[in-house]
């Protein structure tokens, strides 16, 4: 039973780590929106940025 | 995601705008994208789609599960967002720039959030951004030294997402904090529960009591420490709720939960100290965790409701135009408008504050305040109210009341109260729950006394088991979870419930009354025939005159004449509400409208052109039924509903549509009062009436019906009169909503029946001492879980309307007839 003296502190430390990780994730907003990030991996995002122009002829008139 | 891939191709097929899915007008724009010709309903949609293609973001069209919002031709004036005072109140300085949270409409699915993220990230000067499709909020961090805020916002508006102010910065942060606090409570309760269970399990598995007492006590003390945060941090909402109930001198669910938890916790502590045979920490934590999970479900339903309140907030103007002493005008945030200022309101805009009308007479639509749908004429000196919509002609007013002092704010508070108000069904469950607690406590006391008499050692344990197992969570959970799931399912079919009772009443509805224009028909009349009555005029001429008169009114009828090319210009055009338009074309004064107004004849439902006395031409306009109207009505009839058509239009037009759709109960030339009387007659016969209208000229009858559905046509304030508002225009969502509502009612009944049966069985068992506290906690938990899962079936089986969906664009739903 002496092994408990080692195992129980370990389990408590792990619990502490789990809670800390959870708190960190909540504070960082990881759970705020569960749908949008799922779309990220479906689309490559490393394509070049578009030309920086307002839409050409026919764009809505600037206000 | 499945929904995104299963989106019916028809929704974006020919005849519908590639971007927003709306039906194409006659002058649709065709743009070549990726080698394919695409049609668009307006310049704005075309420009948005072009930019999306250029930016290589066309994945958006594959990912989306709902059509985008219509962009429209005009971008809003965004310069106000750059003002220092707006930014001071609504944004905050952070490292590397400033951060603002804003609301937008038109975010319908995760793909929108994806598109906004990408589009904004490519704007120079934008440091970080995140869009949340669930809450409709966008957080933007930008570097003020590199870009003005209005630049990225213009991009956003160009894509069809108009920005709106989202309350103050402090309020927004409080909202986020609250949501995260609930998540933390649940997470900590879960982690703590599992750890405490592990210890408890070790104690339970010690069947032959070979564990040294020191080890046992060590385990117990550890569990005591592990449970403390669960009981006091995670369980705080229950403790606080119980304290509130005690202060209000009533006993409710929170009291029962808190007392059972604290009893289990402190009784275990006493046992731990004196080395008794049993501890019940596990029951306490399990109780807290499971009930917290149930509360989270209820919270979710409420967050849907608060998103609706935000949608209403958008109906209020955020900025006002103030006239300075020297006649110049400036746009200011609403908060800067003070009594005594002169405010200018453009035609079609909402009045920003209560005030006294200056200058010319003007018309205001006061449907929100009075239920009167036709614009009301006001002369200088009259009081006009914030939130009423200025019609026909711009107005100036001297501000008297602003902010919370306005009539509008008083009304808004009423709406919020109505929303905070719990549904009758839930109130019933609460009342039953409260009575239950009142009877249970004496029973528990009796059981304790009985066991104390026979077997004092087990008295505490048995009483605890009784309290835990009989906790009527299933009862208190049955309704909220079912309603939460139903509201979610309704939102997915495209209906937002504005009143808590709406779902229940919709399920019981026996009759359905439809408005015609804008509800069953698409509100875009086409010219069916032209009859020239005056000598010396050609068909083309009268069409050209009518087109010139209608061109700038923005009235739905104008579209019918849009095809007639007209080089004529109309002068001094004036709309006469409810009757027609008058103006000068080619040197002659013309009236266009009802027969009595234009030609001095008896009104026959057709549109007449004349000089007010003599007729020049008669136009017959026809409205087409919405493409899915026949199918939707057939589905409703199959659900056993009696259908009625009530319209303000003439008999001929109503009959044509009713016959086409197979509606036999039809009522023509109905004023709002007549419609209301019709509904009252049906109600007097014991029918439960659902009214479906376009929410503007139907405000009184929408409010008078048992349950009402307003077709979503932009942010009309009159939507507040309705119980449910559709987010698009497809009619098939109505039979779908009826089906969801009926299933909700069935499931609530099943849940209540289960809760009753469970308690009848469990309480005698517990009182007889056959249940230990942890089995009681498990039994209670399983019962709650069963109720929750049963309710969640509603969310899973949500049917999607199969037809294309016209995105609710902010167009005016004005109807003249």
């Amino acid at each position: 039973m002496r092994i408990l003296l080692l195992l129980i502190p370990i389990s408590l430390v792990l619990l502490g780590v789990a809670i800390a990780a959870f708190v960190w994730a909540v504070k960082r907003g990881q759970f705020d929106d569960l749908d949008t990030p799922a779309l990220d991996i479906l689309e490559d995002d490393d394509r070049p940025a578009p030309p920086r122009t307002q839409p050409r002829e026919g764009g809505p008139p600037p206000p | 995601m499945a929904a995104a891939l299963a989106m019916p191709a028809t929704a974006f097929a020919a005849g519908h705008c590639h971007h927003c899915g709306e039906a194409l007008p006659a002058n649709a724009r065709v743009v070549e994208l990726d080698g394919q010709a695409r049609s668009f309903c307006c310049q704005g949609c075309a420009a948005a789609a072009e930019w999306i293609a250029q930016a290589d973001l066309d994945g958006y069209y594959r990912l989306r599960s709902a059509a985008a919002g219509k962009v429209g031709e005009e971008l809003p004036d965004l310069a106000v967002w750059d003002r220092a005072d707006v930014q001071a109140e609504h944004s905050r300085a952070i490292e590397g720039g400033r951060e603002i949270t804003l609301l937008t409409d038109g975010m319908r699915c995760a793909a929108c959030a994806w598109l906004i993220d990408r589009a904004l990230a490519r704007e120079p000067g934008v440091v970080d951004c995140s869009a949340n499709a669930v809450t409709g909020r966008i957080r933007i961090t930008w570097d003020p030294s590199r870009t003005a805020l209005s630049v990225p916002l213009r991009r956003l508006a160009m894509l069809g997402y108009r920005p709106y102010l989202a309350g103050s910065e402090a309020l927004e942060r409080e909202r986020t904090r609250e949501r995260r606090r609930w998540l933390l409570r649940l997470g900590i309760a879960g982690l703590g529960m599992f750890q405490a269970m592990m210890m408890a399990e070790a104690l339970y598995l010690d069947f032959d009591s070979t564990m040294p007492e020191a080890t046992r006590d060590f385990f117990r003390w550890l569990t005591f420490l592990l449970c403390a945060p669960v009981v006091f941090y995670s369980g705080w909402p229950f403790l606080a709720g119980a304290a509130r109930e005690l202060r209000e001198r009533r006993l409710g669910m929170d009291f029962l939960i808190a007392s059972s938890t604290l009893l289990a916790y402190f009784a275990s502590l006493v046992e731990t100290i004196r080395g008794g045979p049993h501890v019940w920490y596990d029951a306490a934590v399990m109780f807290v965790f499971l009930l917290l999970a149930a509360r989270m479900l209820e919270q979710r339903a409420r967050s849907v409701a608060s998103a609706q309140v935000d949608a209403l907030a958008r109906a209020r103007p955020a900025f006002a135009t103030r006239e300075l002493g020297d006649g110049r005008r400036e746009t200011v945030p609403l908060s800067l408008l003070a009594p005594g200022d002169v405010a200018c309101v453009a035609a079609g805009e909402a009045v920003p504050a209560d005030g006294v009308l200056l200058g010319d007479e003007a018309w205001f639509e006061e449907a929100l305040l009075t239920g009167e749908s036709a614009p009301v004429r006001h002369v200088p000196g009259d009081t006009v109210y914030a939130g009423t919509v200025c019609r026909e002609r711009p107005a100036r007013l001297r501000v008297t009341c602003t902010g919370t002092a306005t009539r509008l704010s008083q009304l808004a508070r009423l709406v919020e109260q109505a929303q905070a108000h719990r549904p009758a069904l839930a109130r019933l469950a609460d009342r039953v729950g409260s009575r239950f607690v009142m009877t249970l406590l004496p029973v528990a006391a009796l059981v304790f006394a009985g066991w104390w008499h026979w077997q004092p050692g087990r008295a505490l344990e048995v009483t605890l088991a009784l309290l835990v197992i009989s906790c009527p969570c299933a009862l208190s959970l049955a309704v909220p979870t079912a309603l939460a799931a139903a509201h979610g399912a309704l939102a997915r079919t495209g209906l937002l419930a504005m009143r808590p009772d709406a779902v229940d009443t919709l399920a019981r509805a026996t009759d359905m009354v439809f408005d015609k224009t804008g509800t069953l028909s698409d509100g875009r009349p086409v010219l069916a025939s032209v009859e020239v009555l005056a000598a010396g005029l050609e068909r083309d001429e009268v069409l050209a005159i009518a087109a010139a008169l209608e061109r700038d009114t923005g009235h739905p009828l104008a579209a019918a004449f849009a095809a007639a090319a007209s080089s004529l210009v109309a002068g001094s055009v004036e709309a006469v509400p409810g009757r027609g338009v008058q103006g000068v074309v080619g040197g002659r004064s013309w009236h266009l409208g009802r027969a009595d107004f234009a030609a001095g004849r008896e009104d026959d439902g057709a549109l007449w052109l004349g000089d007010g006395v003599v007729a020049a031409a008669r136009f017959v306009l026809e409205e087409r039924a919405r493409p899915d109207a026949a199918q939707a009505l057939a589905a409703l009839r199959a659900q056993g509903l009696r259908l009625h058509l009530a319209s303000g239009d003439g008999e001929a037009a109503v009959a044509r549509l009713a016959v086409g759709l197979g509606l036999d109960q039809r009522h023509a030339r109905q004023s709002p009062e007549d419609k209301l009387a019709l509904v009252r007659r049906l109600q007097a016969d014991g029918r439960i009436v659902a009214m479906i209208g376009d929410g503007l000229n139907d405000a009184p009858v929408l409010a008078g019906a048992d349950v009402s559905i307003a077709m979503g046509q932009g942010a009309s304030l009159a939507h507040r009169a309705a119980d449910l508002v559709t987010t698009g225009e497809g009619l098939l969502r109505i039979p779908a909503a009826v089906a969801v509502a009926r299933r909700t009612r069935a499931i609530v009944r099943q849940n209540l029946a289960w809760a009753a049966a469970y308690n009848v069985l469990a309480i005698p068992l517990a009182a007889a001492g056959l249940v230990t506290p942890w089995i009681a906690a498990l039994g209670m938990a399983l019962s709650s879980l069963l109720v929750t899962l049963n309710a969640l079936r509603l969310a899973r089986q949500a049917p999607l309307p199969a037809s294309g969906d016209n995105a609710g664009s902010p167009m005016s739903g004005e109807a003249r007839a």
Side-chain angles (χ1 to χ4, degrees):
Chain A
M1 290 302 255
R2 199 161 298 163
I3 189 69
L4 284 177
L5 292 179
L6 183 63
L7 285 180
I8 286 178
I10 288 179
S11 81
L12 289 182
V13 167
L14 285 178
L15 177 70
V17 171
I19 286 182
F22 180 69
V23 170
W24 175 85
V26 169
K27 293 250 153 93
R28 285 281 307 269
Q30 299 286 324
F31 298 99
D32 285 357
D33 182 0
L34 299 175
D35 290 340
T36 314
L39 295 180
D40 286 356
I41 54 160
L42 293 177
E43 284 291 315
D44 287 332
D45 206 26
D46 47 359
R47 280 179 281 193
R52 269 290 307 155
T53 49
Q54 284 293 311
R56 297 151 306 168
E57 82 287 350
Chain B
M1 261 324 290
L5 302 174
M7 188 66 194
T10 53
F12 306 113
H16 291 277
C17 176
H18 177 61
H19 185 69
C20 70
E22 250 186 59
L24 288 175
N27 55 345
R29 281 156 214 278
V30 180
V31 176
E32 190 169 319
L33 293 178
D34 285 339
Q36 271 181 298
R38 305 278 193 195
S39 311
F40 296 94
C41 64
C42 62
Q43 190 60 58
C45 284
E50 259 187 298
W51 187 83
I52 289 172
Q54 265 178 40
D56 249 340
L57 290 174
D58 40 359
Y60 165 71
Y61 291 108
R62 284 198 303 280
L63 297 173
R64 69 181 179 179
S65 56
K70 181 177 166 127
V71 179
E73 303 280 343
E74 276 172 46
L75 291 185
D77 180 10
L78 296 168
V80 278
W81 290 88
D82 291 333
R83 294 171 58 109
D85 47 359
V86 174
Q87 294 196 355
E89 191 186 343
H90 295 277
S91 68
R92 66 194 178 112
I94 57 160
E95 211 177 311
R98 295 189 71 78
E99 186 184 84
I100 191 167
T101 304
L102 50 94
L103 271 170
T104 183
D105 54 5
M107 252 210 271
R108 286 138 202 262
C109 64
C112 287
W114 177 88
L115 178 68
I116 290 171
D117 276 354
R118 301 268 169 315
L120 286 182
R122 295 176 187 194
E123 290 292 313
V126 173
V127 182
D128 187 27
C129 65
S130 68
N132 189 330
V134 182
T135 57
R137 282 164 165 72
I138 306 172
R139 194 177 45 75
I140 301 175
T141 312
W142 81 103
D143 181 353
S145 64
R146 290 177 57 208
T147 182
L149 178 59
S150 60
V151 178
L153 294 189
R154 188 161 300 138
R155 167 69 55 220
L156 210 55
M158 202 214 97
L159 289 173
Y161 307 101
R162 290 186 182 219
Y164 296 89
L165 289 176
S168 74
E169 171 63 30
L171 212 71
E172 273 311 294
R173 255 182 307 167
E174 182 48 42
R175 210 185 184 102
T176 319
R177 251 210 307 275
E178 182 64 25
R179 209 171 40 232
R180 291 183 180 170
R181 202 169 323 149
W182 270 92
L183 208 55
L184 277 179
R185 286 194 208 283
L186 185 69
I188 286 176
L191 288 167
M193 179 189 78
F194 283 119
Q195 198 68 25
M197 288 301 219
M198 201 178 84
M199 304 283 177
E201 215 50 38
L203 296 175
Y204 285 126
L205 292 178
D206 175 33
F207 296 116
D208 43 4
S209 302
T210 50
M211 189 186 281
E213 273 199 13
T215 317
R216 189 195 69 180
D217 286 346
F218 173 60
F219 273 30
R220 286 182 173 185
W221 280 111
L222 268 181
T223 329
F224 167 75
L225 290 177
L226 281 169
C227 289
V230 179
V231 171
F232 295 103
Y233 176 72
S234 299
W236 185 251
F238 303 120
L239 301 182
R244 200 171 47 240
E245 277 170 11
L246 280 181
R247 266 201 309 277
E248 290 168 10
R249 289 173 201 289
R250 65 186 174 88
L251 293 180
M253 222 57 79
D254 278 345
F255 177 77
L256 193 62
I257 294 166
S259 57
S260 306
T261 311
L262 290 180
L263 184 64
Y265 187 70
F266 285 109
S268 303
L269 177 61
V270 172
E271 292 294 285
T272 306
I273 292 169
R274 69 180 189 120
H278 290 293
V279 288
W280 308 283
Y281 293 116
D282 47 343
V285 284
M286 203 167 9
F287 210 51
V288 170
F289 173 73
L290 292 162
L291 288 172
L292 210 56
R295 285 283 161 99
M296 282 285 278
L297 278 172
E298 222 188 317
Q299 288 274 317
R300 250 179 43 189
R302 231 175 269 155
S303 77
V304 170
S306 73
Q308 290 167 7
V309 175
D310 288 340
L312 291 175
R314 274 172 250 169
R316 280 175 243 174
F319 300 104
T321 310
R322 182 162 67 182
E323 195 174 272
L324 299 174
D326 54 5
R328 281 186 302 120
R329 290 175 177 195
E330 58 170 2
T331 308
V332 295
L334 215 49
S335 55
L336 282 191
L337 206 62
D341 285 348
V342 174
C344 304
V345 192
E349 256 183 27
V351 177
D354 291 0
V356 177
L357 188 63
L358 304 172
D360 286 331
E361 57 177 19
W363 282 268
F364 293 91
E365 212 171 73
E366 299 187 331
L368 170 71
L369 297 173
T370 61
E372 165 64 52
S373 60
V376 179
R377 198 182 128 216
H378 282 293
V379 295
D382 282 2
T383 304
V384 289
Y385 295 106
T388 59
V389 178
C390 178
R391 281 286 163 214
E392 325 291 351
R393 203 190 259 167
R396 288 167 66 237
L397 52 118
R398 166 107 34 216
V399 175
T400 52
C401 296
T402 58
T404 51
T406 59
R407 281 273 283 276
L408 176 63
S409 295
Q410 292 161 9
L411 268 173
R413 275 198 293 279
L414 277 180
V415 170
E416 269 147 37
Q417 272 167 23
Q419 274 170 342
H421 202 237
R422 302 193 66 189
L425 212 59
R427 281 203 308 277
L428 173 78
D430 260 10
R431 247 193 339 266
V432 173
S434 180
R435 293 241 175 88
F436 185 84
V437 175
M438 303 286 256
T439 33
L440 186 68
L441 290 179
V443 169
L446 271 178
V447 168
F448 181 81
W451 278 90
W452 187 258
H453 189 71
W454 298 113
Q455 219 178 327
R458 288 199 64 200
L460 192 62
E461 186 191 332
V462 170
T463 314
L464 195 60
L466 177 73
L467 281 176
V468 170
I469 203 165
S470 64
C471 176
C473 319
L475 195 66
S476 62
L477 265 175
V479 182
T481 47
L483 286 180
H487 283 176
L490 281 177
R492 265 198 306 285
T493 59
L495 272 167
L496 295 175
M498 311 296 278
R499 307 258 198 296
D501 285 333
V503 176
D504 187 47
T505 321
L506 187 62
R508 292 185 292 127
T510 56
D511 286 58
M512 223 169 233
V513 182
F514 284 88
D515 171 50
K516 186 172 72 73
T517 311
T519 305
L520 284 180
S521 70
D522 56 7
R524 292 192 194 85
V526 288
L527 207 52
S529 76
V530 183
E531 211 180 312
V532 183
L533 298 168
L537 276 174
E538 292 296 318
R539 184 177 185 277
D540 288 350
E541 276 178 272
V542 293
L543 276 179
I545 294 168
L549 283 171
E550 286 281 10
R551 192 185 296 138
D552 299 317
T553 56
H555 191 273
L557 288 180
F561 293 99
S566 173
S567 55
L568 296 176
V569 178
S572 49
V573 173
E574 197 177 323
V576 182
R579 296 162 67 84
V581 204
Q582 62 183 56
V584 179
V585 183
R588 281 178 68 182
S589 164
W590 290 103
H591 286 208
L592 177 69
R594 280 164 52 146
D596 47 353
F597 167 73
R601 301 191 187 193
E602 196 161 318
D603 178 32
D604 63 349
L607 188 67
W608 291 72
L609 178 71
D611 57 6
V613 185
V614 180
R618 178 174 183 267
F619 305 101
V620 177
L621 298 175
E622 253 181 34
E623 279 176 296
R624 281 168 305 184
R626 284 180 197 278
D628 53 359
Q631 203 187 338
L633 294 186
L636 286 169
R637 222 174 275 124
Q639 284 170 331
L641 287 157
R642 246 178 33 196
L643 306 177
H644 309 259
L645 176 65
S647 169
D649 285 358
E651 173 65 28
V654 173
R656 197 158 43 234
L657 191 82
V659 169
L661 293 173
L663 280 161
D664 39 280
Q665 308 266 354
R666 57 170 193 262
H667 309 268
R669 277 277 172 252
Q670 300 272 302
S671 68
E673 291 79 13
D674 296 335
K675 289 186 187 177
L676 190 57
L678 169 71
V679 167
R680 294 272 183 257
R681 266 202 310 282
L682 288 168
Q683 284 170 335
D685 289 346
R687 318 288 294 179
I688 293 165
V689 184
M691 173 76 205
I692 294 131
D694 64 358
L696 207 80
N697 52 352
D698 297 320
V701 67
L702 285 175
D706 294 294
V707 58
S708 53
I709 302 176
M711 300 300 285
Q713 286 183 318
S716 161
L717 284 163
H719 280 181
R720 294 189 187 206
D723 299 310
L724 296 142
V725 175
T726 67
T727 55
E729 317 240 309
L731 277 172
L732 281 174
R733 65 188 78 228
I734 292 171
V738 172
V740 169
R742 288 187 178 172
R743 261 205 322 274
T744 307
R745 202 172 155 74
I747 279 182
V748 165
R749 287 198 173 151
Q750 287 166 12
N751 280 355
L752 289 177
W754 164 258
Y758 162 83
N759 276 318
V760 165
L761 192 74
I763 290 177
L765 282 181
L770 298 174
V771 185
T772 59
W774 78 272
I775 291 182
L778 200 66
M780 183 283 303
L782 286 178
S783 159
S784 300
L785 198 66
L786 193 83
V787 166
T788 310
L789 289 179
N790 193 24
L792 287 180
R793 286 195 306 151
L794 279 170
R796 215 187 31 192
Q797 294 173 346
L800 286 162
S803 82
D805 195 13
N806 285 3
S809 58
M811 62 183 166
S812 129
E814 175 194 15
R816 193 182 286 164

